[in-house]
């Protein structure tokens, strides 16, 4: 399973399961979760639970278990990670790298789960800002990539899935099956489109009025 963490506060209020199915079989599942609402305070609490040491996955699990009432959004967000999901962290590199973002990045690093960061620019981004984001994300994530979800075409989406193979070997079989199914579906659609075009041309060229 792979987890997408939204960078926009309030965009999602509960965990939404987004399965990837082919021929009725679920091969992969994305989870769209609530965004962080109190990342700085949550990071402080996680450090307290760690007793002054470096927080790790066990501290994240304890935070989810014991601090749900005070940090409901953070608990819902982190629970799939405790259960074994990976992270896709989507950020807008046009925004300043504030303390709240730094806290989010640190919390996700503490989970110990496979982590992919996606830069999804919403507007013209200053090179200095993007560089700062890349440098900071590079210290806490396995890979950092640029991906525009609204404009990405088939090849870009395929390359994104291939990127997951580099950070999550345990589910490589499922990811490869999705890639193979995507290619087969695309080939089928191309064939159907070609047949439709040929049928149209035949009717148009033989039309008599």
């Amino acid at each position: 399973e792979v987890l997408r963490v939204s960078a926009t506060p309030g965009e999602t209020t509960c965990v939404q399961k987004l399965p990837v199915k082919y021929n009725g079989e679920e091969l992969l599942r994305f989870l769209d979760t609530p965004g962080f609402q109190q990342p700085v305070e949550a990071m402080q609490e996680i450090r307290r639970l760690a007793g002054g040491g470096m927080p790790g996955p066990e501290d994240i699990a304890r935070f989810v278990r014991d601090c749900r009432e005070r940090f409901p959004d953070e608990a819902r967000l982190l629970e799939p990670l405790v259960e074994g999901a990976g992270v896709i962290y989507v950020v807008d590199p046009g925004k300043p790298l504030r303390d709240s973002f730094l806290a989010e990045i640190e919390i996700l690093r503490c989970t110990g789960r496979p982590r992919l960061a996606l830069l999804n620019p919403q507007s013209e981004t200053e090179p200095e800002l993007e560089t700062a984001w890349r440098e900071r994300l590079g210290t806490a994530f396995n890979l950092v990539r640029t991906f525009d979800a609204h404009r990405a075409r088939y090849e870009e989406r395929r390359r994104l899935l291939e990127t997951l193979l580099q950070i999550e070997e345990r589910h490589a079989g499922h990811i490869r099956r999705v890639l193979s199914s995507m290619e087969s579906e695309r080939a089928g659609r191309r064939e159907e489109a070609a047949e439709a075009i040929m049928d149209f041309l035949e009717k148009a060229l033989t039309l008599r009025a």
Side-chain angles (χ1 to χ4, degrees):
E1 295 183 358
V2 182
L3 173 69
R4 171 189 177 272
V5 181
S6 173
T8 304
E11 181 183 5
T12 305
T13 57
C14 61
V15 178
Q16 300 180 25
K17 297 181 180 179
L18 306 172
V20 178
K21 294 183 178 181
Y22 283 95
N23 298 320
E25 181 183 3
E26 182 177 317
L27 301 180
L28 199 65
R29 181 187 304 163
F30 291 87
L31 304 175
D32 192 6
T33 75
F36 285 97
Q37 298 300 312
Q38 307 176 75
V40 175
E41 295 83 355
M43 188 67 247
Q44 293 171 346
E45 182 64 20
I46 292 169
R47 286 173 177 163
R48 188 190 68 79
L49 293 173
M54 181 67 70
E58 65 283 352
D59 302 303
I60 299 295
R62 186 179 172 190
F63 172 84
V64 170
R65 183 181 66 249
D66 299 342
C67 304
R68 184 178 298 274
E69 185 173 343
R70 182 181 170 192
F71 300 98
D73 291 291
E74 281 72 19
R76 281 195 293 268
L77 185 157
L78 294 170
E79 189 170 32
L81 301 181
V82 173
E83 296 174 351
V87 181
I88 299 180
Y89 182 60
V90 184
V91 300
D92 179 2
K95 295 182 178 180
L97 195 55
R98 298 189 295 268
D99 289 344
S100 58
F101 291 128
L102 295 174
E104 293 176 10
I105 292 169
E106 182 62 15
I107 291 172
L108 295 175
R109 186 194 65 78
C110 292
T111 65
R113 301 301 305 147
R115 299 175 300 283
L116 169 65
L118 294 182
L119 302 179
N120 183 23
Q122 300 300 303
S123 59
E124 191 70 24
T125 302
E126 297 180 11
E128 296 80 6
L129 275 178
E130 181 170 339
T131 298
W133 272 105
R134 285 186 177 277
E135 290 179 352
R136 187 62 186 87
L137 291 168
T139 66
F141 284 77
N142 303 101
L143 289 172
V144 180
R145 294 287 186 269
T146 300
F147 184 78
D148 187 335
H150 296 288
R151 298 181 180 178
R153 301 182 69 82
Y154 172 82
E155 289 300 333
E156 293 170 285
R157 296 175 185 274
R158 179 182 176 85
R159 283 196 295 270
L160 178 60
L161 277 175
E162 290 174 340
T163 298
L164 298 181
L165 290 172
Q166 301 176 44
I167 66 172
E168 182 56 287
E169 294 182 349
R170 294 181 310 150
H171 302 302
H174 291 284
I175 296 172
R176 289 195 177 95
R177 286 184 64 191
V178 170
L179 289 168
S180 176
S181 297
M182 285 174 58
E183 190 64 34
S184 297
E185 182 181 61
R186 188 170 189 240
R189 288 181 177 180
R190 282 183 167 181
E191 186 173 337
E192 290 177 3
E195 290 177 354
I197 292 172
M198 290 175 63
D199 182 61
F200 167 78
L201 290 174
E202 181 182 358
K203 290 178 179 178
L205 293 172
T206 57
L207 177 66
R208 292 186 179 185

